[in-house]
Amino acid sequence: MLILKSRKPGPLQVLSSLSSTATRVAAAAGRKQVIKCCASSKIMASSASTSSTSGYYDGSSIQQSSPYSTSTITNKNNVSKTTTTHPPSDHPPHFLISKAFPTHIIFGANTDVGKTVVSTCLVKNNVLLGTTGGGGGGGGGGGRGRGQQEQQEQQQQQQQQQEYPSGVHYIKPLQCGGSDEHFVRRHLPQQQIQQLQQQQQYGQHNSSSSSNNNKNHENFVVGLHTLFQWDTPASPHLASRLENKPVSDEAVLSALGEKLSWITTTCATTATATVTATANDEERHVQNSSTTTSGSSRIWIETAGGVLSPSASSPRNNAPRHAASSLSENKTSWGWSTQADLYSSLHLPAVLVGDGRLGGISATLSALESLIVRGYDVHAIVLIDSTTPTYQDHDHGSIIIKEEHSNVHALQEYARRKLKLRSGSGRPLLQHPDSIVALPPLPPIDVPLDEYLDSCLVQEKVQCLDSYLTQQWNDHVDMLWELGGEEGSQQLWWPFTQHQGYHDHEKNMKQKRPTVIDGAKGDYFSILEDKDGTRGSDGTRKELVRKFHFDACASWWTQGMGHGETTLSLAAAAAAGKFGHVIFPDVVHEPAKALADRLIHSKSGPGRGWASRVFFTDDGSTAMEVAIKMGMKKFLHDLELKGTKLDETVTKLTVCAQRDCYHGDTLGVMDVAEPSVFNKGQHPWYEPKGLFLDYPTMSYMDGSIGISPPSCCPASDNPIMFESIGEILDIRKRLSSDHLYDHYSKVIEQEWDTYESESDRLIGSVIIEPILLGAGGMKFIDPLWQRALMDVSCTRSVPVIFDEVASGMYRLGVSSCREILGANPDIAAYAKLLTGGLVPMSVTLATDDVFRTFLGDSKAEALLHGHSYTAHTVGCVSSIHALDTYAELLENHHDSSNKVETTSQVIPKFVVDAYFDQQEVAALSNLPFVQQSMSLGTVLAITLEPDEKGSGYAANGKSVPVVRNLLKNGVYARPLGNVVYIMVSPLTKKEECSRLCSLLKDSVLTL
């Protein structure tokens, strides 16, 4: 569908669209009143549509005008394909990563540093190289102008010509007050374009005397694209509000992603139904062409304002990361992001246009660090030099400012220190001589800008810069390509992975390939896949497709605030900058003290009301090691207080735990598990040490919620059905009315007594994974059974340990499952969501009674456990930020409107219905091959029918196809035997959860 509407911007609109630098440039060119739209060349145009429409294009529902725009691509015949943007998707569309399409996003250190001038220089350079094979100004880098040497130099020039792009695209996602696109278009090299058009018109490219170079040039394409435009000359966040034309972040990324996808696919291969602009740019007519173009193009994306300037506002920008204000009458909040945050999910390398003026060093370095902390790989810094040769000082006379005193030299010195700046991938930044460059100062106001752009010095510097950036892009593609091959993982030893035959091309290459993750943002991985799905034997065609996959395993259950969350990164960086890491024994620092206070006293603190001490460790497994030490010591201490001293040569202390439990991979906690593939045979010291109780589970079966009793219960083959999940979670009522509690307690006591009487073991601690048995198969345990186990333990004075490494910190919608069980543990371990999903850290909370157990006259009586990075400040500050965020977004919304209706117990809505809709979850249990389904909090799981391998971890005959189908639909998941689960972050929207549930349903139906 072609949209042929066009609007010619007025003089004031065009001028106001330029930065102050560009405005001075336009004035210097003598075009103060009117900037015409490239009428002489008839080459290309990109113009904004201003038609009104009902409903927000970004998905809102208030009537307003559309800021969406059309864009035009023109090829050799001056025929152009016009496209329009579409409503946004949840993530950017896929697009190609290839050496044929070098792409950079251009940021500015401020709003008036000359981004558009630099963009114009780069686009013009690409046009010159693509149409003539040289810039005409001499210079350096790959693609310099043809010299006047002999045949050898000419042959070298022809070889270089083969690498010139066959097109260039300039994209301006957000435009306020006019058109930078028209500014770029006006200063394109008209002479070369006219010569090319004349050649095409008279058919010179078909003559026998035509050179190979001309054949390479004849399909050159120039594309200028403005995606969203407002008339108001203001920041996008204000212009969108004032004109009532909201555009959400999702809309911008969707439009930009679609544009990149179109350029790197359709535009690179064919130009069909097209539009041609006439000389006055007011009339348009449609032509049809089946011309096929060569597939390479240079892509430049110019942002708006500075690195941290606001993006557009929209009611749909309502995530916690958005800045917001209410300017509309209905008080709807219109949120916005910064430019750097907006585009970070694309994971494209950046060019920073720095500030060449006095004070510009500080502004440029601040902008650089803002980009680095957001994950940008900054390939180059470009400045328009504003150094004044001399200045007058009344006390010291005239002082000469030498070239080495300019901003660019200071930036070079800073970047090339022995302690290098590094990208988020660990590569050093800005080390090459061409990576930090300065263009000459802009001419006086009475000198046309064209003379500046055409000067040999400017063209030489720009050609060197473009050549360097292209090489950086090519190196970037080579590195990404290598990651996906065998050489990318030769030195890696993956966890839980059999490497034997992994890279056997005949057996596994099509099935087993490492997943290349080139970044992550929010809930999504940025995954790179080979374009054709397979990798050629010669590996010469290095083309990758960037795809965005939902992280449905929450990166092994750690994600709390989403990947790449800027505020979390800044919090961690602030701690690293202030402390680095400091030793912790006998040391107090504010991050550790503040975190301990929140864990014990705040609304989001799982230890609120029962814990008094916090012991820091480094991961969930070691947190549980410490917890077991605490529990055993407490049990022995209490025995001694009663006058009983245990003879450990006769009686061994052990634990009581749940079947299918998992508490980590360190030697001690491995023994707190039944024999399985994860411990038996892993080391010779493994010995299961515990009573492992069978347990009842809750799930949807055939669309109804019920409890499946353990085998030890009467009528265990028949599930006990309930009206709702809220009824199951109402422990207070069930304690007084449900006969199951008495039966659970009786069976637990019998098994406990039998175990101790028939062995030389004495249970010294009870370990519970509250509600959710994660690694054991995403099983949801009847909370009444776990409450019965806790009560039995209490009557026997045995400490209760909560392993909430996976289930705590709002994984199930509450900070601790004690809110559901209605009882407190003596000890509890937390990790994973603790730091928001950023860095490893764990804590073990304990009551004051447990702490006092370790008091004594000698050091030997203390808890002698620790780690080199105990209470590291980066983890502490990250955890503080995460806990405060959880408290603000979750706990503060636990009002009467966010409760599940029960007769006697308040259950937060975040446990039951804030993420996955329970009706949709129940419907999954009715699908073919699905035994049961269940969801609480951020976790959704389905259990598929067993295959010939049973129902253990090896039984993945049905789950693997489901997971593969999810991957095809943009969901990265991992099976647990015959169980497929989806885990989101506590900040994921319910709409996204509904989409994931639907995709899971569709994937099951493919079996």
Side-chain angles (χ1 to χ4, degrees), residues 110 112 286 329 482 655 723 785 949 999:
N110 213 324
D112 57 351
V286 178
E329 294 181 359
E482 181 180 296
V655 300
E723 292 293 328
W785 180 88
K949 296 180 180 179
L999 288 173

Side-chain angles (χ1 to χ4, degrees), residues 99-169:
K99 290 184 178 181
F101 299 97
T103 305
H104 284 87
I105 184 166
I106 301 174
F107 287 96
N110 213 324
T111 58
D112 57 351
V113 294
K115 287 194 311 298
T116 305
V117 174
V118 173
S119 298
T120 302
C121 290
L122 291 166
V123 173
K124 183 172 184 176
N125 175 72
N126 296 138
V127 174
L128 288 170
L129 295 180
T131 57
T132 68
R144 300 181 181 182
R146 180 175 301 183
Q148 302 185 4
Q149 303 297 326
E150 300 298 329
Q151 184 177 4
Q152 182 178 1
E153 189 170 343
Q154 293 177 359
Q155 291 176 350
Q156 181 181 2
Q157 173 66 26
Q158 290 179 359
Q159 292 176 354
Q160 291 176 339
Q161 174 61 38
Q162 296 175 1
E163 299 179 0
Y164 296 155
S166 59
V168 59
H169 292 265

Side-chain angles (χ1 to χ4, degrees), residues 23 30 50 189 243 386 555 849 896 915 927:
T23 304
T50 56
E243 297 183 24
S386 299
S555 286
D849 286 343
S896 58
Y915 299 99
L927 296 177

Side-chain angles (χ1 to χ4, degrees), residues 649-660:
T649 62
V650 178
T651 305
K652 302 293 185 181
L653 277 185
T654 187
V655 300
C656 175
Q658 300 155 149
R659 292 186 62 185
D660 307 312

Side-chain angles (χ1 to χ4, degrees), residues 2 14 22 25 35 67 76 141 216 434 491 523 615 648 688 858 888 914 931 979 997:
L2 290 174
V14 174
V25 170
I35 296 180
K76 65 174 183 178
N216 288 334
D434 290 335
Q491 293 81 33
D523 286 324
F615 191 93
E648 296 187 26
S858 67
E888 173 65 24
Q931 280 189 325
V979 174
C997 191

Side-chain angles (χ1 to χ4, degrees), residues 803-821:
D803 180 352
E804 294 198 278
V805 169
S807 62
M809 299 290 180
Y810 299 96
R811 178 57 67 206
L812 299 181
V814 287
S815 65
S816 171
C817 290
R818 71 185 185 88
E819 298 181 41
I820 299 175
L821 297 176

